[in-house]
mmCIF file of all heavy atoms in Angstrom:
data_model
loop_
_atom_site.group_PDB
_atom_site.id
_atom_site.type_symbol
_atom_site.label_atom_id
_atom_site.label_comp_id
_atom_site.label_asym_id
_atom_site.label_seq_id
_atom_site.Cartn_x
_atom_site.Cartn_y
_atom_site.Cartn_z
ATOM 1 N N LEU A 56 -4.265 2.536 2.973
ATOM 2 C CA LEU A 56 -4.467 3.837 2.342
ATOM 3 C C LEU A 56 -5.116 3.685 0.965
ATOM 4 O O LEU A 56 -5.994 4.471 0.597
ATOM 5 C CB LEU A 56 -3.140 4.589 2.213
ATOM 6 C CG LEU A 56 -2.495 5.046 3.519
ATOM 7 C CD1 LEU A 56 -1.123 5.648 3.255
ATOM 8 C CD2 LEU A 56 -3.384 6.013 4.265
ATOM 9 N N LEU A 57 -4.694 2.675 0.219
ATOM 10 C CA LEU A 57 -5.282 2.422 -1.097
ATOM 11 C C LEU A 57 -6.770 2.102 -0.979
ATOM 12 O O LEU A 57 -7.580 2.595 -1.760
ATOM 13 C CB LEU A 57 -4.531 1.295 -1.811
ATOM 14 C CG LEU A 57 -3.142 1.680 -2.307
ATOM 15 C CD1 LEU A 57 -2.325 0.442 -2.638
ATOM 16 C CD2 LEU A 57 -3.250 2.607 -3.506
ATOM 17 N N ALA A 60 -8.611 5.260 -0.190
ATOM 18 C CA ALA A 60 -8.639 6.179 -1.331
ATOM 19 C C ALA A 60 -9.601 5.716 -2.423
ATOM 20 O O ALA A 60 -9.905 6.475 -3.330
ATOM 21 C CB ALA A 60 -7.237 6.330 -1.912
ATOM 22 N N GLY A 61 -10.060 4.462 -2.331
ATOM 23 C CA GLY A 61 -10.986 3.942 -3.336
ATOM 24 C C GLY A 61 -10.314 3.229 -4.496
ATOM 25 O O GLY A 61 -10.933 3.038 -5.546
ATOM 26 N N SER A 62 -9.069 2.808 -4.299
ATOM 27 C CA SER A 62 -8.384 2.075 -5.356
ATOM 28 C C SER A 62 -9.182 0.816 -5.691
ATOM 29 O O SER A 62 -9.642 0.103 -4.802
ATOM 30 C CB SER A 62 -6.977 1.687 -4.904
ATOM 31 O OG SER A 62 -6.318 0.948 -5.905
ATOM 32 N N GLU A 63 -9.356 0.579 -6.976
ATOM 33 C CA GLU A 63 -10.127 -0.583 -7.421
ATOM 34 C C GLU A 63 -9.266 -1.691 -7.983
ATOM 35 O O GLU A 63 -9.703 -2.831 -8.060
ATOM 36 C CB GLU A 63 -11.168 -0.135 -8.445
ATOM 37 C CG GLU A 63 -12.198 0.795 -7.826
ATOM 38 C CD GLU A 63 -13.251 1.247 -8.817
ATOM 39 O OE1 GLU A 63 -13.256 0.760 -9.962
ATOM 40 O OE2 GLU A 63 -14.078 2.092 -8.424
ATOM 41 N N LYS A 64 -8.042 -1.356 -8.404
ATOM 42 C CA LYS A 64 -7.151 -2.400 -8.923
ATOM 43 C C LYS A 64 -5.714 -1.910 -8.887
ATOM 44 O O LYS A 64 -5.449 -0.703 -8.897
ATOM 45 C CB LYS A 64 -7.545 -2.804 -10.333
ATOM 46 C CG LYS A 64 -7.384 -1.718 -11.356
ATOM 47 C CD LYS A 64 -7.714 -2.208 -12.751
ATOM 48 C CE LYS A 64 -7.384 -1.107 -13.740
ATOM 49 N NZ LYS A 64 -7.194 -1.574 -15.055
ATOM 50 N N GLY A 66 -2.357 -0.698 -9.996
ATOM 51 C CA GLY A 66 -1.945 0.099 -11.140
ATOM 52 C C GLY A 66 -2.880 1.236 -11.494
ATOM 53 O O GLY A 66 -2.579 2.012 -12.402
ATOM 54 N N ASP A 67 -4.013 1.357 -10.781
ATOM 55 C CA ASP A 67 -4.917 2.475 -11.083
ATOM 56 C C ASP A 67 -4.301 3.788 -10.572
ATOM 57 O O ASP A 67 -3.201 3.804 -10.014
ATOM 58 C CB ASP A 67 -6.334 2.232 -10.564
ATOM 59 C CG ASP A 67 -6.483 2.218 -9.045
ATOM 60 O OD1 ASP A 67 -5.544 2.623 -8.324
ATOM 61 O OD2 ASP A 67 -7.553 1.784 -8.578
ATOM 62 N N ALA A 68 -5.003 4.887 -10.808
ATOM 63 C CA ALA A 68 -4.466 6.203 -10.453
ATOM 64 C C ALA A 68 -4.148 6.315 -8.960
ATOM 65 O O ALA A 68 -3.136 6.912 -8.578
ATOM 66 C CB ALA A 68 -5.446 7.295 -10.869
ATOM 67 N N HIS A 69 -5.002 5.733 -8.105
ATOM 68 C CA HIS A 69 -4.739 5.774 -6.658
ATOM 69 C C HIS A 69 -3.468 4.995 -6.331
ATOM 70 O O HIS A 69 -2.673 5.415 -5.487
ATOM 71 C CB HIS A 69 -5.916 5.199 -5.873
ATOM 72 C CG HIS A 69 -7.164 6.009 -5.996
ATOM 73 N ND1 HIS A 69 -7.259 7.316 -5.563
ATOM 74 C CD2 HIS A 69 -8.380 5.696 -6.518
ATOM 75 C CE1 HIS A 69 -8.473 7.770 -5.792
ATOM 76 N NE2 HIS A 69 -9.170 6.808 -6.379
ATOM 77 N N TRP A 70 -3.301 3.848 -6.980
ATOM 78 C CA TRP A 70 -2.106 3.021 -6.778
ATOM 79 C C TRP A 70 -0.859 3.846 -7.083
ATOM 80 O O TRP A 70 0.083 3.887 -6.287
ATOM 81 C CB TRP A 70 -2.175 1.786 -7.668
ATOM 82 C CG TRP A 70 -0.949 0.954 -7.655
ATOM 83 C CD1 TRP A 70 0.167 1.111 -8.429
ATOM 84 C CD2 TRP A 70 -0.676 -0.172 -6.817
ATOM 85 N NE1 TRP A 70 1.101 0.154 -8.123
ATOM 86 C CE2 TRP A 70 0.607 -0.638 -7.149
ATOM 87 C CE3 TRP A 70 -1.405 -0.826 -5.830
ATOM 88 C CZ2 TRP A 70 1.184 -1.743 -6.524
ATOM 89 C CZ3 TRP A 70 -0.834 -1.928 -5.209
ATOM 90 C CH2 TRP A 70 0.441 -2.372 -5.548
ATOM 91 N N GLU A 71 -0.839 4.479 -8.235
ATOM 92 C CA GLU A 71 0.324 5.260 -8.653
ATOM 93 C C GLU A 71 0.581 6.434 -7.704
ATOM 94 O O GLU A 71 1.730 6.784 -7.449
ATOM 95 C CB GLU A 71 0.133 5.770 -10.087
ATOM 96 C CG GLU A 71 0.049 4.663 -11.127
ATOM 97 C CD GLU A 71 1.273 3.771 -11.195
ATOM 98 O OE1 GLU A 71 2.404 4.264 -10.965
ATOM 99 O OE2 GLU A 71 1.106 2.566 -11.477
ATOM 100 N N ARG A 72 -0.467 6.995 -7.169
ATOM 101 C CA ARG A 72 -0.353 8.151 -6.276
ATOM 102 C C ARG A 72 0.134 7.764 -4.883
ATOM 103 O O ARG A 72 0.742 8.579 -4.183
ATOM 104 C CB ARG A 72 -1.734 8.822 -6.185
ATOM 105 C CG ARG A 72 -1.793 10.062 -5.350
ATOM 106 C CD ARG A 72 -3.144 10.770 -5.512
ATOM 107 N NE ARG A 72 -4.289 9.967 -5.118
ATOM 108 C CZ ARG A 72 -4.781 9.937 -3.882
ATOM 109 N NH1 ARG A 72 -4.216 10.651 -2.927
ATOM 110 N NH2 ARG A 72 -5.835 9.205 -3.604
ATOM 111 N N ILE A 73 -0.116 6.527 -4.474
ATOM 112 C CA ILE A 73 0.135 6.123 -3.087
ATOM 113 C C ILE A 73 1.237 5.075 -2.930
ATOM 114 O O ILE A 73 2.092 5.201 -2.052
ATOM 115 C CB ILE A 73 -1.179 5.610 -2.440
ATOM 116 C CG1 ILE A 73 -2.174 6.774 -2.324
ATOM 117 C CG2 ILE A 73 -0.927 4.966 -1.083
ATOM 118 C CD1 ILE A 73 -3.574 6.360 -1.900
ATOM 119 N N GLN A 74 1.225 4.019 -3.721
ATOM 120 C CA GLN A 74 2.068 2.843 -3.478
ATOM 121 C C GLN A 74 3.550 3.180 -3.300
ATOM 122 O O GLN A 74 4.121 2.904 -2.257
ATOM 123 C CB GLN A 74 1.878 1.820 -4.608
ATOM 124 C CG GLN A 74 2.718 0.571 -4.464
ATOM 125 C CD GLN A 74 2.352 -0.289 -3.275
ATOM 126 O OE1 GLN A 74 1.258 -0.230 -2.750
ATOM 127 N NE2 GLN A 74 3.292 -1.100 -2.834
#
Side-chain angles (χ1 to χ4, degrees):
L56 292 174
L57 288 164
S62 178
E63 295 180 6
K64 65 177 186 159
D67 68 12
H69 295 298
W70 174 274
E71 296 300 327
R72 182 171 60 89
I73 294 171
Q74 179 66 22

